[in-house]
Amino acid sequence: MIAGKKLHICLILLIALSLIPFRVFGQRYTVSGYVVDDQTRETLIGATIYHPESGRGTVTDSYGYFRFSGLSPGNHTLILSYMGYDQDSLMVKLVDKSLVISEVYLRQSFHSVDEVSIIAVRPDRAADRQVETSMLELSPKTIQSIPTAGKDVFSAIKFLPGIERTEPFSPLYSVRGGDPGENAVMLDGVMIYNPYHSSINSGIFNTQTIKNVDLLTGGFGAEYGGRNSSVMYITTKDGNSTEMHGEVEPSTFHSKVFLEFPAGKNASAIVAGRYYYDIFSEFIYQSQSYFYDFNLSYTARLSNKHRLSLKYFQSRDRNNIDFSSFYQVFGNTFGIDLYDDFNFRFEDRWKNLAGTIIHKWAMTPRIYMRTQLYYSAHQSENASGVNFQFDFADEATDTLNFNWNTNSIFTNRISDLCAKSFLNILLFRNNNLRIGGELNAYHFQNTAAINDFDQGSLENNSMLYTLFMEDKLELGPLIIRPGVRFTRYNGKDIHYEPRVNAVLNFPHGYSLKLAWGEYYQYVISMNTNEVEMNQAVDYYFPLTTYEPSKSVHYIAGIEKAIGSHSLLSLNAYYKNIERVYTFDINQTANEVLMLSDKLQQGSGDAYGGEIMYRGRIRNWSGWMSYGLAWANRQYPMTGMQKYPYDYNRRHTFKLVGNYTISESLEYNTSFLFMSGTYRSIEQILQNYYYYNPDAEELSFFPIWIPEGKNTAKMPPVMNLDMSIRKKLRQGFGKQIADKFHADESYLTVTIRNLLFFRRNVDYYYPISGIPRWEGKYLPVGTNLFPSIGFSYTIKF
Amino acid sequence: MKKRMRRSIYALMIMLFLPGCEKIVDYYIGFPQQPEITVEADTDQLNVFGVLRPDSIGGFNKSFVFVQRIWPALDFSTFSILPDVEVLIESVGEDGTLTAFPFPLSPPDANFKDTLYRPATGFTPVPGQHFRISCLHSELKDAYGELIFPAVPALTENSLSAAGGRISLSLKADSSIEMYDFYLKNNAGSHFIGRELSLDNEDLPVILYTNQPVEGAKLRIFAYENRLATYIGNSNTSLNFNKYREGFSTLDSGYGVFGALNFLDIDLGPVLK
């Protein structure tokens, strides 16, 4: 009953807000259209449109589309600007109706400081993007400027505040104390499941195809749902519709190619691909590990009002590491028979596929519609196993034989067929209503086996229906955007998720931002990191017989624009994780038969603050941030005792800097300092016994056990990486580029892990017998050596 | 300008390299390279692996108890059996009367190759019998457990067939049995060919596949009672460090297991179909 009352209040408020401006304001006209690059015809996201006469402005949305309303009949001049582009003006004459302009062109400025700046700070007012309280943006330029990110989106985002890495060798990430499975990754509106490559621990998206990355780390609007923690929205390029351009980056292990070209009248296409082969594994382990991915894109500008895009994406991974042959060669070489019965292997096989058709329709200057149909599928099979026997009993009859036999196989398939559409209706110049719906048809298949024990399986088809509406209202310095999202999963109860974002702008560039929202999630990720050494994928699992997981976000932030190129922001957040799930994977089939019975419902919270300065000072650009965070969980399996969340880091300092030395030379650096996470460090040694009743053989394996969950803190982590990028003007590299009639060629030298003298501890091994570490845990980290990498890029 | 830039980069690098030195960081700045552990573990406990079984050799029952202790993770000294433990198995009668069977520490002999706590003659567990174990040590906490000895596995009538590499059978429901293991024994040796969990109050249909010839072979079916089956099934021995896992125990106090098994031998020769 209370929920019903809340719903009614929410709806009445929303409808009332959407109607007020109709009554208050009278007849005015609207100008709308796309802002595009004059050379490539690529739409520009976040370009500013300013009307000097009224002092008002707007920016293009994530589709490069703008609508400027409230203009009186007559002649008007609109000033268009975008970072790295020459400012331009647009003259419009409004007589008796609103106007849809097909495209407005901006020309790239050459050699400006803006062009090389890695940060685009646009403290514009009156834009949807500015209503979001916790929104971070990354451009391909920014991603490429982080030396250790290796041009990978998922490595780059870990340099942003509130986003933390999970396991040492996993691409998964945690946002503001949320589970890794609570992050949505959308590629042009398509939900991508497990967008990672296993071989190099990175993302599957080729940065050459990316136009923009928006990351919403909390308090996001009603348009987005299905995940409780964050939304990463990646927009890919449409392609150059005037002439062919491309980029080739050949290397020993990892080659990339990117081509964009006109594909008929008013149409463009992109073909891009990457291939990686791990030669190191081939030689050392005689194991084959590789991946490939490719993107295809076709965009047609059908008319002033209609655009149609077809996009296809596919990736495949095989990561097969068999240490057995390596250790046997090692044993034979040094005459050690210890490894004769040693088998140790990992094998991952992953596949991703996504295809979509998108129709964008500027129905009237005030109404914009986007309709999309997509199919997205992921499949992963991860197996690992160790089998090792050693005979102690020859020496002493009171000691058993040593026997370690462990293995796990997890498989997961998910497919998502989705149809969705939204209408963006400009009710008046200060009131924008967005209303939309979505239908998802899912198919799941999960299996799990640990130590030859079947842990149960699941096959499920389910449907999710979603409707959302949100209304953005501008009342002078106040912008408020209430919204609500209705969801119904598998024919069960309808849930509604009310959300509100508000921005209050003050003089001198200050603004106060607030957000509150409720979030439900029906598809969760099965955690296996208690069993798998390195959980590198989400195993998607439908909550068909359980209530959806639920979080409530409370966020308050202050922003201060410093000049026109810098922004200082301070955010405080509290996330009430009312309902969250974990798998007690240690429960055996003797205890629970179904995989779904291993699910345990718990709760938690996460709170903290983030301060971030981003911008440009002379030739320096970049950002630095400090985060202070707490996150906790409690589950029945740990006696409902509250414990620190696995990936919470109390203090984090992150810095990314770019120094443009000259037009052809730039220097990049990144630095991380992070408090240690809480872990379950082993304090007890208990032998586990294997008994073969037929052969009457008893053997053992030592297992180290922690006393409680996350009762120990790891030491802090520090990382420093640098790179220099030089545009080649002469020499061999330039000559190769000239042979291909390329416009530009670059050489990038990256030095990683400059603080290698201090080991970043990934694991503690309770192993004795090493004199220096007697009575201590042996710290093991991967940053033992610095590395230097070279890459050569040709652009044409 | 470039000179100044170069100098400042050098200075920055020196500043950053210095804290890279592990000792400086450990002792002067205060980032220890050891974990900060907040909870003390109780390690004064016994770790028991006790299995009762029905068969004997040379007049001695093959049941045994292997006892070690739990060690602090960084301070263990031996993997050998723990001597000086008083191991006592008691049979609990329906009226509560106790019959004691001491299990003294016994060195290897012609019948047994390991040093184990084993019964003297006269110990013959039977299905349905209720047993208790107590392991007492002067410096470590006592360990206790109990079990109901499982039944001999029983085939459903006319359910057995074996041909090629396929063996099909059905096992009668029995509440004292939690799990079955299947071994095929032929001239080439003994081969583990399958494991099944029992069903609640239902006969268990089983189909086993093997690449071993089944003609003339024997099938041995082991039946485990609940506690031993749970111990075997709960073996998170994964290659994983610094992750939460609980100690293995199906005892009432202490670590380890006190379990039992029974078995059935079937000659596959005459049942070929």
Side-chain angles (χ1 to χ4, degrees):
Chain A
M1 186 58 85
I2 293 169
K5 264 187 184 173
K6 275 170 72 180
L7 175 62
H8 286 136
I9 292 167
C10 196
L11 283 174
I12 290 165
L13 188 69
L14 202 61
I15 292 164
L17 284 169
S18 64
L19 291 176
I20 287 169
F22 266 137
R23 293 161 186 252
V24 173
F25 302 99
Q27 291 256 328
R28 294 288 169 125
Y29 298 118
T30 300
V31 176
S32 60
Y34 290 95
V35 177
V36 299
D37 180 300
D38 77 326
Q39 293 295 312
T40 65
R41 299 286 194 274
E42 195 71 58
T43 53
L44 302 177
I45 299 169
T48 305
I49 298 93
Y50 179 66
H51 185 232
E53 200 179 314
S54 64
R56 292 187 298 113
T58 188
V59 296
T60 54
D61 61 16
S62 53
Y63 312 110
Y65 195 74
F66 77 93
R67 283 165 305 161
F68 200 101
S69 60
L71 294 173
S72 56
N75 293 321
H76 294 278
T77 303
L78 296 174
I79 308 294
L80 289 89
S81 61
Y82 188 66
M83 186 161 284
Y85 285 72
D86 291 335
Q87 184 173 296
D88 208 347
S89 58
L90 173 70
M91 311 288 283
V92 289
K93 185 175 183 180
L94 298 167
V95 182
D96 56 357
K97 61 178 183 181
S98 294
L99 192 62
V100 178
I101 299 165
S102 175
E103 289 177 338
V104 185
Y105 304 110
L106 283 180
R107 181 187 294 270
Q108 277 202 47
S109 54
F110 289 96
H111 314 315
S112 75
V113 177
D114 282 351
E115 187 196 6
V116 293
S117 172
I118 64 165
I119 286 294
V121 175
R122 292 184 286 272
D124 311 290
R125 296 163 64 180
D128 270 324
R129 297 161 72 78
Q130 303 318 119
V131 181
E132 293 293 348
T133 312
S134 299
M135 180 168 174
L136 300 160
E137 294 172 66
L138 287 175
S139 66
K141 172 88 182 162
T142 317
I143 296 164
Q144 285 165 15
S145 72
I146 303 173
T148 199
K151 301 181 183 176
D152 173 46
V153 177
F154 294 94
S155 302
I157 60 167
K158 288 163 192 166
F159 287 86
L160 295 169
I163 299 164
E164 305 304 340
R165 55 181 81 175
T166 56
E167 302 299 317
F169 306 105
S170 173
L172 301 178
Y173 58 99
S174 164
V175 178
R176 287 182 174 170
D179 286 349
E182 293 183 327
N183 303 318
V185 177
M186 305 187 86
L187 185 71
D188 292 314
V190 180
M191 185 75 87
I192 304 289
Y193 298 91
N194 280 321
Y196 315 112
H197 281 308
S198 65
S199 313
I200 55 169
N201 187 17
S202 74
I204 52 179
F205 305 128
N206 185 343
T207 42
Q208 289 159 323
T209 64
I210 291 174
K211 187 191 291 188
N212 197 69
V213 180
D214 289 340
L215 193 65
L216 306 167
T217 57
F220 40 90
E223 184 183 353
Y224 300 109
R227 296 292 183 275
N228 287 353
S229 207
S230 77
V231 176
M232 181 193 285
Y233 196 99
I234 299 172
T235 310
T236 61
K237 292 173 183 169
D238 291 330
N240 194 319
S241 61
T242 56
E243 57 187 9
M244 180 183 276
H245 279 274
E247 206 171 319
V248 182
E249 197 176 317
S251 80
T252 325
F253 296 89
H254 188 185
S255 299
K256 299 177 191 177
V257 65
F258 167 78
L259 283 175
E260 53 181 336
F261 50 89
K265 196 184 173 191
N266 292 326
S268 56
I270 286 179
V271 178
R274 292 191 295 175
Y275 182 74
Y276 169 87
Y277 192 88
D278 188 353
I279 297 171
F280 181 79
S281 288
E282 177 75 51
F283 279 110
I284 304 293
Y285 308 119
Q286 296 166 6
S287 306
Q288 290 184 329
S289 296
Y290 63 86
F291 76 72
Y292 69 78
D293 59 53
F294 64 87
N295 296 61
L296 304 173
S297 167
Y298 171 82
T299 300
R301 296 136 184 97
L302 302 173
S303 69
N304 278 4
K305 294 185 174 181
H306 294 276
R307 282 177 180 235
L308 189 71
S309 295
L310 300 167
K311 306 215 174 197
Y312 181 79
F313 170 79
Q314 188 174 322
S315 76
R316 182 171 290 200
D317 280 66
R318 185 172 178 206
N319 193 20
N320 179 13
I321 297 176
D322 187 346
F323 294 97
S324 315
S325 54
F326 170 71
Y327 279 104
Q328 276 159 17
V329 168
F330 181 82
N332 292 341
T333 308
F334 295 98
I336 304 166
D337 61 359
L338 191 68
Y339 301 113
D340 288 354
D341 292 319
F342 185 81
N343 293 296
F344 180 13
R345 60 196 296 261
F346 289 100
E347 185 165 2
D348 303 330
R349 289 167 188 263
W350 300 354
K351 286 180 193 171
N352 267 81
L353 182 153
T356 186
I357 179 164
I358 305 164
H359 177 230
K360 296 172 194 167
W361 181 17
M363 294 168 81
T364 72
R366 287 174 174 272
I367 303 175
Y368 180 86
M369 185 178 184
R370 184 181 188 275
T371 305
Q372 179 170 22
L373 181 70
Y374 76 71
Y375 176 76
S376 178
H378 169 80
Q379 179 182 330
S380 64
E381 297 173 14
N382 300 297
S384 63
V386 180
N387 193 325
F388 182 41
Q389 292 173 14
F390 186 71
D391 194 355
F392 275 123
D394 290 347
E395 313 297 327
T397 53
D398 60 352
T399 302
L400 304 174
N401 288 339
F402 180 93
N403 182 1
W404 188 16
N405 186 3
T406 181
N407 56 69
S408 69
I409 303 171
F410 292 96
T411 68
N412 179 222
R413 288 180 188 193
I414 180 171
S415 65
D416 176 6
L417 179 63
C418 173
K420 62 180 181 178
S421 185
F422 73 75
L423 274 172
N424 219 346
I425 307 165
L426 193 64
L427 297 173
F428 199 68
R429 74 169 176 83
N430 58 352
N431 190 344
N432 190 79
L433 180 70
R434 182 174 283 214
I435 183 163
E438 191 171 334
L439 172 66
N440 296 79
Y442 296 107
H443 177 71
F444 299 88
Q445 264 186 302
N446 293 56
T447 67
I450 302 169
N451 295 340
D452 301 320
F453 266 85
D454 185 357
Q455 304 293 315
S457 60
L458 173 133
E459 182 150 12
N460 173 263
N461 290 305
S462 48
M463 300 283 283
L464 176 65
Y465 302 90
T466 305
L467 281 175
F468 76 87
M469 58 190 294
E470 60 184 19
D471 188 55
K472 188 188 137 205
L473 186 66
E474 297 168 43
L475 299 167
L478 175 69
I479 306 170
I480 185 163
R481 189 186 66 185
V484 64
R485 188 176 174 90
F486 300 92
T487 48
R488 187 175 200 204
Y489 185 61
N490 237 14
K492 294 201 292 186
D493 291 348
I494 296 174
H495 287 99
Y496 73 98
E497 305 168 42
R499 301 173 191 179
V500 182
N501 294 67
V503 179
L504 186 58
N505 292 305
F506 294 98
H508 310 297
Y510 285 97
S511 58
L512 171 69
K513 293 186 165 187
L514 300 166
W516 169 80
E518 292 187 5
Y519 300 82
Y520 285 97
Q521 185 167 336
Y522 298 92
V523 178
I524 61 162
S525 168
M526 190 168 93
N527 55 292
T528 60
N529 61 10
E530 313 285 358
V531 172
E532 283 193 299
M533 185 177 177
N534 184 48
Q535 182 176 359
V537 286
D538 286 317
Y539 298 101
Y540 297 100
F541 191 92
L543 290 173
T544 47
T545 54
Y546 290 79
E547 281 292 295
S549 60
K550 183 184 178 188
S551 288
V552 185
H553 297 194
Y554 304 84
I555 301 169
I558 297 170
E559 277 186 7
K560 162 81 173 117
I562 302 170
S564 56
H565 296 294
S566 299
L567 193 68
L568 183 68
S569 60
L570 173 66
N571 274 301
Y573 64 91
Y574 174 73
K575 197 189 284 188
N576 181 9
I577 304 167
E578 284 187 14
R579 195 162 47 237
V580 65
Y581 294 93
T582 191
F583 276 80
D584 184 4
I585 209 84
N586 288 326
Q587 283 190 298
T588 66
N590 306 69
E591 294 161 307
V592 287
L593 275 173
M594 305 283 289
L595 199 56
S596 56
D597 293 340
K598 293 176 192 290
L599 209 56
Q600 297 215 342
Q601 183 184 315
S603 59
D605 54 21
Y607 50 95
E610 294 149 6
I611 184 163
M612 184 181 192
Y613 171 83
R614 54 192 148 152
R616 199 184 78 218
I617 301 170
R618 294 184 185 165
N619 286 10
W620 280 100
S621 61
W623 70 83
M624 58 181 164
S625 70
Y626 168 74
L628 180 64
W630 289 263
N632 303 291
R633 293 285 190 281
Q634 53 189 35
Y635 287 107
M637 61 190 266
T638 50
M640 292 309 278
Q641 289 280 321
K642 199 179 248 194
Y643 63 85
Y645 179 55
D646 299 30
Y647 309 121
N648 177 236
R649 295 183 185 275
R650 182 67 48 81
H651 305 279
T652 52
F653 177 78
K654 301 176 178 181
L655 181 146
V656 171
N658 167 284
Y659 183 76
T660 305
I661 297 163
S662 69
E663 192 187 309
S664 60
L665 191 63
E666 64 181 63
Y667 163 79
N668 295 296
T669 187
S670 61
F671 175 71
L672 283 180
F673 171 86
M674 303 186 289
S675 298
T677 52
Y678 287 88
R679 289 290 186 96
S680 307
I681 302 292
E682 292 78 359
Q683 291 171 270
I684 297 168
L685 170 68
Q686 179 191 6
N687 286 337
Y688 178 78
Y689 304 101
Y690 296 96
Y691 181 55
N692 179 337
D694 195 52
E696 297 169 32
E697 283 176 355
L698 184 63
S699 53
F700 82 99
F701 180 71
I703 293 291
W704 286 268
I705 295 159
E707 184 70 30
K709 169 90 176 167
N710 291 356
T711 51
K713 195 176 178 189
M714 304 289 278
V717 169
M718 287 200 293
N719 257 100
L720 176 68
D721 307 286
M722 294 179 185
S723 73
I724 289 174
R725 186 168 188 253
K726 180 161 174 48
K727 187 175 179 180
L728 300 175
R729 296 185 181 281
Q730 57 188 9
F732 184 61
K734 176 78 167 92
Q735 285 166 13
I736 291 177
D738 289 344
K739 279 198 174 168
F740 285 98
H741 305 287
D743 300 332
E744 295 167 353
S745 59
Y746 293 91
L747 179 68
T748 308
V749 181
T750 306
I751 308 168
R752 295 192 181 94
N753 191 22
L754 280 159
L755 300 180
F756 67 97
F757 288 115
R758 181 181 185 277
R759 188 176 304 130
N760 285 331
V761 183
D762 292 324
Y763 295 101
Y764 279 114
Y765 290 165
I767 292 170
S768 58
I770 300 171
R772 189 186 159 196
W773 296 100
E774 201 58 62
K776 291 181 179 176
Y777 292 91
L778 177 69
V780 176
T782 50
N783 66 330
L784 294 177
F785 305 104
S787 69
I788 298 181
F790 298 89
S791 80
Y792 172 63
T793 309
I794 300 172
K795 273 189 177 179
F796 55 90
Chain B
M1 175 66 187
K2 274 189 181 174
K3 251 187 185 176
R4 248 177 64 189
M5 185 64 211
R6 212 175 291 151
R7 268 189 223 147
S8 57
I9 289 173
Y10 290 152
L12 183 71
M13 284 176 73
I14 290 165
M15 278 168 62
L16 291 168
F17 264 102
L18 274 179
C21 299
E22 201 170 295
K23 281 188 178 174
I24 293 175
V25 172
D26 276 11
Y27 300 114
Y28 297 101
I29 301 179
F31 299 151
Q33 284 288 61
Q34 286 293 297
E36 291 172 33
I37 296 175
T38 55
V39 178
E40 282 291 316
D42 176 12
T43 54
D44 293 337
Q45 304 218 42
L46 292 169
N47 184 22
V48 176
F49 188 79
V51 175
L52 303 188
R53 51 187 293 164
D55 50 338
S56 301
I57 183 166
F60 291 91
N61 183 270
K62 289 183 178 176
S63 301
F64 68 91
V65 179
F66 187 84
V67 187
Q68 289 183 318
R69 61 162 295 173
I70 299 297
W71 292 98
L74 299 175
D75 185 24
F76 65 95
S77 57
T78 177
F79 289 125
S80 299
I81 193 166
L82 185 68
D84 308 324
V85 181
E86 188 187 325
V87 178
L88 184 70
I89 306 287
E90 291 172 306
S91 170
V92 184
E94 283 183 11
D95 57 355
T97 55
L98 299 174
T99 310
F101 298 96
F103 273 48
L105 185 65
S106 309
D109 56 26
N111 300 320
F112 300 96
K113 63 178 182 179
D114 294 317
T115 301
L116 296 165
Y117 290 94
R118 292 200 306 267
T121 52
F123 180 72
T124 312
V126 294
Q129 200 172 357
H130 183 181
F131 289 100
R132 281 184 191 162
I133 187 173
S134 60
C135 299
L136 313 177
H137 189 274
S138 57
E139 294 172 10
L140 302 166
K141 289 174 185 157
D142 303 338
Y144 298 100
E146 58 187 318
L147 60 84
I148 304 291
F149 199 81
V152 177
L155 292 182
T156 313
E157 272 181 40
N158 298 321
S159 67
L160 179 67
S161 68
R166 183 178 186 274
I167 302 166
S168 172
L169 54 93
S170 173
L171 290 160
K172 282 185 182 172
D174 192 306
S175 60
S176 68
I177 300 170
E178 182 75 21
M179 187 174 80
Y180 298 95
D181 273 356
F182 302 89
Y183 287 83
L184 187 76
K185 298 158 88 79
N186 58 16
N187 293 337
S190 175
H191 314 275
F192 175 76
I193 56 169
R195 172 171 283 167
E196 294 286 342
L197 290 170
S198 63
L199 300 175
D200 290 341
N201 307 318
E202 273 181 60
D203 291 355
L204 176 70
V206 179
I207 297 173
L208 302 162
Y209 295 95
T210 175
N211 53 12
Q212 294 290 326
V214 298
E215 291 79 10
K218 280 186 177 173
L219 181 68
R220 175 168 279 195
I221 304 172
F222 284 98
Y224 300 89
E225 53 77 52
N226 174 274
R227 297 202 173 200
L228 187 55
T230 303
Y231 181 88
I232 294 167
N234 205 7
S235 54
N236 182 358
T237 52
S238 59
L239 179 67
N240 216 343
F241 283 94
N242 308 161
K243 298 288 171 54
Y244 178 66
R245 71 175 112 204
E246 290 172 344
F248 311 127
S249 183
T250 58
L251 292 175
D252 299 326
S253 71
Y255 285 80
V257 62
F258 174 54
L261 59 87
N262 213 327
F263 63 88
L264 171 72
D265 282 327
I266 303 166
D267 189 349
L268 294 177
V271 296
L272 294 176
K273 286 180 182 174

